[in-house]
């Protein structure tokens, strides 16, 4: 039976992949911000009012989903301004620099890496440093998204390769969604290798595309 949905990977950049369920869920993550002008008829949608016709006054503090923040953020019109979430600020970058492995990324934000890349779409005083650290891996003593990923990746893959038939729920609970996907891939590779060693691997057969191509070639020769 064919699968109803073939998983599509996240964009992991400034733009989301709109065919990816992970990116759709990530776009629902909220950003702290501020209304730089009056926002008519948006109070109810953003949880700031009881009636659909209510407006949001200028200067109101907001929590806006990423997809809406990207639509409303315009440096020329100044509709809303967006603040950097605390997990990406300098204080937390220092924590990651000290030991990124101790941080429960899923608790702080299940899409830490993808969401952090999306923050570069907004004007923020710390964005140049974040962008530079992503591209150059390090600036001063600050930890970047890339550094955090690298420092956690080795332990992640070691765990996935050394936890055969063990309960990994506590380990997986602390991982970002990208890290969870990598852990599952590592576990699958380990299980497939164990099956091959025990002679339990399925027999390798030619794909249907190759078989059909061969049949067409023989038909052409006979004709």
């Amino acid at each position: 039976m064919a699968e109803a949905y073939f998983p599509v990977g996240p964009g992991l950049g400034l733009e989301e992949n709109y065919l990816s369920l992970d990116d759709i869920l990530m776009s629902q993550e909220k950003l702290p911000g501020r209304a730089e002008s009056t926002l008519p008829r948006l109070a109810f949608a953003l949880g700031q009012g009881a009636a659909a016709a209510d407006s949001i006054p200028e200067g109101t503090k907001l929590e806006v989903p990423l997809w809406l923040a990207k639509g409303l953020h315009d440096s020329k019109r100044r509709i809303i301004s967006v603040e950097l979430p605390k997990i990406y600020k300098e204080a937390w970058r220092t924590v990651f620099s000290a030991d990124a492995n101790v941080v429960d990324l899923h608790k702080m934000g299940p899409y830490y890496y993808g969401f952090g890349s999306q923050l570069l779409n907004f004007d923020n005083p710390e964005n140049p440093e974040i962008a530079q650290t992503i591209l150059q891996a390090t600036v001063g003593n600050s930890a970047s998204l890339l550094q955090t990923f690298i420092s956690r990746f080795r332990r992640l893959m070691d765990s996935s390769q050394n936890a055969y038939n063990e309960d990994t729920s506590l380990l997986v609970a602390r991982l970002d969604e990208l890290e969870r996907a990598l852990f599952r891939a590592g576990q699958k590779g380990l299980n497939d290798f164990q099956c091959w060693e025990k002679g339990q691997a399925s027999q390798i057969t030619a794909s249907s595309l190759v078989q059909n191509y061969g049949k067409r070639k023989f038909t052409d020769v006979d004709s």
Side-chain angles (χ1 to χ4, degrees), residues 101 149-164 168 171 175 178-190:
N101 289 306
F149 180 77
I150 291 172
S151 63
R152 290 169 63 94
F153 180 76
R154 178 177 296 179
R155 181 180 179 185
L156 169 70
M157 296 312 295
D158 284 346
S159 299
S160 72
Q161 297 299 298
N162 293 286
Y164 188 62
T168 60
L171 170 65
L175 302 179
L178 173 62
E179 294 174 334
R180 289 184 176 187
L182 292 172
F183 185 85
R184 289 193 297 268
Q187 286 268 279
K188 183 179 184 303
L190 175 63

Side-chain angles (χ1 to χ4, degrees), residues 19-78:
L19 298 177
S20 169
L21 289 179
D22 282 328
D23 276 357
I24 293 173
L25 293 173
M26 183 264 293
S27 70
Q28 302 297 320
E29 293 288 310
K30 293 186 177 181
L31 280 168
R34 179 178 180 273
E36 297 295 340
S37 60
T38 300
L39 304 178
R41 299 179 181 274
L42 278 180
F44 182 76
L46 296 178
Q48 299 284 338
D54 289 348
S55 300
I56 297 178
E58 179 181 347
T60 303
K61 290 186 176 181
L62 307 168
E63 283 197 344
V64 186
L66 174 65
W67 64 268
L68 181 58
K70 291 177 68 175
L72 293 178
H73 180 75
D74 188 329
S75 58
K76 295 181 180 179
R77 296 178 61 191
R78 300 293 293 172

Side-chain angles (χ1 to χ4, degrees), residues 109-199:
Y111 299 97
Y112 173 76
Y113 300 108
F115 194 67
S117 298
Q118 290 292 313
L119 295 178
L120 302 180
N121 285 296
F122 304 101
D123 298 327
N124 188 284
E126 294 186 59
N127 270 7
E129 182 180 14
I130 294 176
Q132 195 171 9
T133 54
I134 292 174
L135 295 173
Q136 297 182 1
T138 181
V139 171
N141 294 321
S142 297
S144 67
L145 297 180
L146 180 59
Q147 282 179 296
T148 301
F149 180 77
I150 291 172
S151 63
R152 290 169 63 94
F153 180 76
R154 178 177 296 179
R155 181 180 179 185
L156 169 70
M157 296 312 295
D158 284 346
S159 299
S160 72
Q161 297 299 298
N162 293 286
Y164 188 62
N165 289 333
E166 295 181 15
D167 183 8
T168 60
S169 57
L170 292 178
L171 170 65
V172 174
R174 299 171 62 86
L175 302 179
D176 159 89
E177 289 297 328
L178 173 62
E179 294 174 334
R180 289 184 176 187
L182 292 172
F183 185 85
R184 289 193 297 268
Q187 286 268 279
K188 183 179 184 303
L190 175 63
N191 290 333
D192 290 347
F193 178 72
Q194 295 287 347
C195 289
W196 176 81
E197 274 196 324
K198 297 175 182 178

Side-chain angles (χ1 to χ4, degrees), residues 79-99:
I79 299 175
I80 67 169
S81 58
V82 172
E83 300 175 10
L84 199 64
K86 66 177 183 179
I87 187 66
Y88 299 99
K89 290 185 177 181
E90 184 178 358
W92 272 101
R93 294 202 300 269
T94 303
V95 173
F96 285 122
S97 180
D99 188 356

